[in-house]
Amino acid sequence: MHIVVCIKQVPDSAQIRVHPVTNTIMRQGVPTIINPYDLFALEAALELRDQFGGEVTVLTMGPPSAEDSLRKALTFGADRAVLLTDRFFAGADTLATTYALATAICKISTEFGAADVVFTGKQTIDGDTAQVGPGIAKRLGLSQLTYVAKISALDLTARTIDAERRSEGGVQILRTRLPCLVTMLEATNQIRRGAMADALRAARAPIVKWSAQEAGVEDISKCGLRGSPTIVKRVFAPAARSEKAVMIEAAEQPAEALIDAIFKRQPTLETELATLARGY
């Protein structure tokens, strides 16, 4: 079995800066980490590998410095790391990113064996779009299981996978055929510490590095800013609220005290609610 895990090196969200002209994230001088959601995807992949055998290939697209995150993934136990790096990829939105990653996954399947499962985190902390996983699935023609909390079963003979998916109405139990793409939710497992042997291996392991041409990208115009129809018009921090929180002290019947405070603050609200009630 061959599993591909897409990860992303992201800026530490506490120290993000935005370029005032291009409205893109300025990564220079900002500490970077593996996108936290992707760690849950990586652990899910490693658990399947440990149970059923096979290999886990970790893939990322980014600048040369993204090699640090790939080596971190190797310390957790991943078997192989692939870095997709080229100046043509700079400034990519989710459409351009999925095009490059899907192309790289096809190349990985050719070089190292067909991918049975592709894992991603549900979203990234810098973009928060949750579009990359489904976008890759669409481009590769894969069934997709999104917002997965648990992989319940995997049958390599029948080529099926069962997963528990969280939804607004509860938990869905889904089954689909392999190959497929899975996006993992947060707090669904606990990432392992990694063995000393993996840490030593990660320090000297070769990182497979592909440019756009080496990855098999046929149309450069679909990559980077050139291939990104999404334009960030303006980036700004929300204005601070002038009102301060009010502490309601009520040793007894706090709910009633809260309701009284709300009606006092909005004098017409009680009448409006009564009118609506009569309408029903």
Side-chain angles (χ1 to χ4, degrees):
M1 180 173 63
H2 186 200
I3 303 172
V4 175
V5 182
C6 296
I7 69 171
K8 185 180 182 182
Q9 179 169 272
V10 296
D12 188 333
S13 58
Q15 303 186 47
I16 284 180
R17 296 180 299 159
V18 177
H19 195 284
V21 177
T22 64
N23 284 322
T24 57
I25 293 175
M26 299 172 62
R27 301 180 184 274
Q28 292 78 11
V30 180
T32 56
I33 58 175
I34 296 178
N35 177 52
Y37 296 113
D38 296 341
L39 291 176
F40 300 108
L42 176 58
E43 177 59 28
L46 293 174
E47 289 175 358
L48 289 181
R49 190 272 316 270
D50 293 346
Q51 184 176 358
F52 297 98
E55 292 183 327
V56 172
T57 298
V58 181
L59 167 67
T60 192
M61 183 184 79
S65 61
E67 180 179 328
D68 295 339
S69 291
L70 290 175
R71 293 199 182 277
K72 183 68 173 179
L74 290 175
T75 65
F76 291 131
D79 299 283
R80 183 185 299 108
V82 177
L83 173 59
L84 194 59
T85 183
D86 199 308
R87 61 185 179 85
F88 291 111
F89 298 138
D93 67 359
T94 55
L95 186 69
T97 297
T98 58
Y99 173 71
L101 290 177
T103 301
I105 291 172
C106 290
K107 173 78 170 181
I108 288 172
S109 296
T110 301
E111 294 284 325
F112 309 114
D116 297 292
V117 186
V118 178
F119 276 98
T120 72
K122 71 165 187 175
Q123 62 194 64
T124 59
I125 62 172
D126 57 350
D128 277 334
T129 63
Q131 295 174 351
V132 171
I136 293 173
K138 175 64 176 179
R139 290 187 182 277
L140 295 179
L142 301 177
S143 300
Q144 55 179 294
L145 301 174
T146 57
Y147 299 98
V148 170
K150 180 182 178 182
I151 303 298
S152 306
L154 178 68
D155 189 333
L156 291 176
T157 303
R159 303 284 295 169
T160 60
I161 187 171
D162 297 358
E164 296 181 8
R165 180 183 188 271
R166 290 183 192 167
S167 64
E168 293 182 359
V171 177
Q172 298 174 329
I173 309 298
L174 302 176
R175 172 177 293 174
T176 190
R177 298 189 63 82
L178 301 178
C180 69
L181 182 140
V182 178
T183 72
M184 294 296 297
L185 284 174
E186 70 280 8
T188 51
N189 51 45
Q190 185 172 357
I191 190 70
R192 61 194 66 190
R193 293 180 61 87
M196 179 63 69
D198 288 325
L200 295 175
R201 176 178 60 86
R204 58 178 180 269
I207 303 295
V208 180
K209 298 178 182 179
W210 289 335
S211 65
Q213 182 178 6
E214 291 167 335
V217 173
E218 297 180 352
D219 190 352
I220 293 297
S221 66
K222 294 182 179 180
C223 299
L225 281 174
R226 210 184 322 178
S228 301
T230 304
I231 298 174
V232 180
K233 183 177 181 181
R234 186 165 66 99
V235 177
F236 61 95
R241 296 181 61 176
S242 58
E243 298 179 80
K244 295 184 177 180
V246 177
M247 177 69 72
I248 299 176
E249 297 183 3
E252 298 180 359
Q253 298 182 329
E256 286 78 359
L258 175 61
I259 293 173
D260 291 340
I262 292 174
F263 286 155
K264 184 177 180 180
R265 191 177 185 85
Q266 303 183 47
T268 62
L269 180 59
E270 188 172 9
T271 303
E272 292 171 358
L273 290 176
T275 302
L276 287 174
R278 286 195 297 269
Y280 286 103

